[in-house]
Amino acid sequence: MAESTYQKSLLFTPEGVRDIYGEDCEKRYKIQNELHATMKLYGFKDIETPAFEFFDIFNRERGTVNSKEMFKFFDQYNNTLVLRPDITPSIARCVAKYYEKEEMQIRLCYTGNTFIHRSGYQGKLVQTTQVGAELMNDDSSDADGEMIAMAIECLIKSGLKEFKVDVGHADLFRGLVQEAGLTVEEISQLKVYMANKNIFAVEDMLEKKEIMPECKALLIQLPDLFGDIETIRYAAERTSNPRALEALDRLKKIYMILKTYGLEEHVTFDLGMLSHYEYYTGIIFKAYTYGTGDAIATGGRYDNLVEQFGKKTPAIGLAFVLDELMSALDSQQVDIGARESDILVLYRSANRERAIEIGNQLRAEKKPVRLMRKNADTPLDKYREYGLRNEVSSILYIDDTGEVTEFDLRENGG
């Protein structure tokens, strides 16, 4: 390969990752900060975990992703390390380590990248950014309702025009398949059918099994049980399974809590919802909007995960998938208003002291300022063009006499 060709190849990123720059990056940080600020208003405190950890933090036994989906490597002691595919297990490890004696609420929030190998999935990012929160040591339906309410408020503040948060319960499905006496292999296959909303395959599979008619009928209908509070009442009238009834009762309580928040119109119930992560034990929820095919936020209750690291504690969490959220906002043409309004102080070397003085004064007023020494051979129009390209709202030009002239670029379409 010729050297020039090799150098050009270095300008490209590996498959599944990308550069984000300019106004897109400014918009991204504005939304990220808005989500974070809302979580802070709910009393969540920041935590930061490493981008890579020991493999066993995320192994399949803990209910996270498959080994083949992780980016693995070795340290100098031959320990297997992975780029984190999920942040929740890392938070669970930290809580078990640093909050071992705490018995009251623990509220933590974070922003970080996750890395999942997307073999066979064209166009999917392998590095995505999550903004999330975890609420530990509270097993109440109030905690469930508050987390969903916070998720809804975050999405409203992001500027989304339309969205819905679908809410389900992991124990509804588990209670019914337990009653049906399905094997691990059959449950795994049934999950695939239900995730694809393939009711015909679900019906064909269950018709071959000797299952109580009431249980079989509800399992077959489960992928289609989607709607408002009446969906929960409908399902509750068609099962006597204690585990399933308890899950449905929990969903009713959460609905009433969200009514108190005045946010129930943003919620629908999806009784056939299943999660990719096996560690969820209670409610699960996903937020959707038009303009993107995937969930923009996910969350749920995971009461057994932290215990695997040595601390028995209930927990619920949520995570916004920032990349999907930004895609939706762009598709819906939401005005994020992230353009900067920098002031460019343009000066000759003889006026350096005056330029620095002006720059310091404006920065003390919280105004962003760029200092640039003017080249004698470069006409002023070139600096105006530069400002228009680079989010400069005005130019303060200090000429050779020391006089300051302001050029407002916004009047010229800037």
Side-chain angles (χ1 to χ4, degrees):
M1 182 185 296
E3 185 175 351
S4 61
T5 303
Y6 171 72
Q7 288 175 336
K8 287 182 179 179
S9 71
L10 295 179
L11 299 177
F12 297 93
T13 61
E15 185 176 356
V17 295
R18 58 180 177 148
D19 298 314
I20 305 170
Y21 62 97
E23 189 175 351
D24 286 343
C25 197
E26 294 292 342
K27 289 179 178 179
R28 186 181 178 91
Y29 274 114
K30 183 171 182 179
I31 295 300
Q32 178 179 310
N33 292 337
E34 188 70 69
L35 298 176
H36 178 257
T38 302
M39 292 175 182
K40 298 293 283 184
L41 289 175
Y42 277 76
F44 287 84
K45 303 305 177 185
D46 292 307
I47 187 171
E48 185 174 329
T49 61
F52 62 89
E53 299 213 39
F54 292 117
F55 168 76
D56 284 344
I57 298 295
F58 306 99
N59 67 28
R60 190 62 180 174
E61 286 67 36
R62 301 200 192 282
T64 62
V65 304
N66 290 316
S67 174
K68 65 181 180 180
E69 296 179 314
M70 301 185 204
F71 288 89
K72 295 185 284 291
F73 55 103
F74 301 95
D75 65 11
Q76 65 268 39
Y77 307 110
N78 213 33
N79 294 309
T80 304
L81 307 177
V82 297
L83 292 176
R84 61 186 178 203
D86 180 17
I87 297 179
T88 297
S90 295
I91 305 293
R93 173 189 60 75
C94 286
V95 167
K97 181 178 181 181
Y98 302 113
Y99 297 87
E100 181 184 3
K101 304 299 182 182
E102 181 58 68
E103 296 180 356
M104 302 295 281
Q105 277 190 357
I106 302 167
R107 292 174 178 248
L108 301 170
C109 61
Y110 62 85
T111 300
N113 292 327
T114 60
F115 307 85
I116 299 179
H117 183 57
R118 303 285 188 179
S119 178
Y121 292 90
Q122 296 295 324
K124 291 281 188 178
L125 292 171
V126 302
Q127 175 182 310
T128 58
T129 302
Q130 291 186 0
V131 182
E134 314 290 343
L135 174 53
M136 313 280 188
N137 278 345
D138 192 335
D139 63 357
S140 68
S141 54
D142 290 82
D144 294 347
E146 183 183 357
M147 290 296 275
I148 296 173
M150 185 174 73
I152 293 170
E153 185 174 342
C154 282
L155 293 175
I156 291 172
K157 287 186 175 180
S158 77
L160 278 183
K161 298 173 182 176
E162 295 180 31
F163 65 89
K164 282 289 184 181
V165 179
D166 298 343
V167 184
H169 199 296
D171 258 4
L172 176 59
F173 176 77
R174 288 174 182 151
L176 293 175
V177 296
Q178 184 182 49
E179 181 182 342
L182 300 183
T183 65
V184 173
E185 292 76 16
E186 288 170 333
I187 292 172
S188 179
Q189 186 60 63
L190 184 61
K191 282 183 175 182
V192 173
Y193 293 150
M194 293 189 68
N196 294 327
K197 301 293 184 182
N198 190 341
I199 298 176
F200 299 106
V202 171
E203 187 173 4
D204 183 63
M205 176 182 177
L206 296 179
E207 285 296 342
K208 300 172 184 176
K209 302 288 294 181
E210 291 187 8
I211 305 172
M212 290 291 290
E214 178 188 71
C215 179
K216 181 184 293 187
L218 190 53
L219 270 172
I220 290 172
Q221 292 182 71
L222 216 52
D224 258 355
L225 292 181
F226 182 91
D228 59 17
I229 187 65
E230 292 303 321
T231 307
I232 298 174
R233 298 189 180 114
Y234 177 90
E237 292 170 356
R238 285 161 176 77
T239 182
S240 57
N241 181 274
R243 193 172 181 181
L245 286 172
E246 187 176 345
L248 292 168
D249 184 61
R250 182 76 163 210
L251 291 175
K252 281 191 285 187
K253 290 177 180 176
I254 292 168
Y255 175 78
M256 297 309 296
I257 292 167
L258 290 170
K259 278 193 73 174
T260 304
Y261 279 99
L263 298 172
E264 73 276 10
E265 74 274 11
H266 292 288
V267 173
T268 55
F269 294 98
D270 183 356
L271 301 189
M273 181 185 294
L274 302 173
S275 174
H276 179 65
Y277 297 133
E278 290 296 326
Y279 54 66
Y280 284 129
T281 57
I283 69 154
I284 46 179
F285 56 91
K286 299 177 182 179
Y288 293 95
T289 187
Y290 65 90
T292 178
D294 293 321
I296 53 178
T298 62
R301 177 162 288 283
Y302 53 97
D303 288 344
N304 300 327
L305 180 61
V306 185
E307 187 176 2
Q308 296 182 40
F309 298 100
K311 178 181 174 64
K312 185 174 178 60
T313 179
I316 180 172
L318 70 87
F320 294 93
V321 186
L322 191 59
D323 304 87
E324 294 296 337
L325 178 55
M326 296 309 300
S327 176
L329 291 168
D330 182 62
S331 176
Q332 296 179 26
Q333 298 181 332
V334 174
D335 182 14
I336 298 174
R339 282 189 64 85
E340 295 290 336
S341 298
D342 293 357
I343 298 170
L344 173 60
V345 177
L346 192 63
Y347 63 95
R348 300 284 289 138
S349 56
N351 295 307
R352 181 183 298 113
E353 185 176 344
R354 174 75 171 130
I356 293 173
E357 179 185 342
I358 291 173
N360 287 340
Q361 181 180 345
L362 291 170
R363 290 182 185 125
E365 299 170 5
K366 306 300 181 184
K367 296 177 181 178
V369 177
R370 310 180 190 189
L371 297 183
M372 186 181 295
R373 194 176 77 185
K374 185 181 182 301
N375 189 303
D377 297 328
T378 304
L380 193 56
D381 281 347
K382 290 293 183 182
Y383 291 98
R384 287 177 175 171
E385 292 170 6
Y386 164 81
L388 290 170
R389 292 196 308 270
N390 289 278
E391 302 179 38
V392 171
S393 61
S394 63
I395 296 176
L396 298 181
Y397 176 48
I398 309 174
D399 63 21
D400 290 336
T401 68
E403 183 178 347
V404 179
T405 304
E406 180 175 3
F407 299 94
D408 190 346
L409 299 188
R410 288 170 297 190
E411 294 178 353
N412 297 307

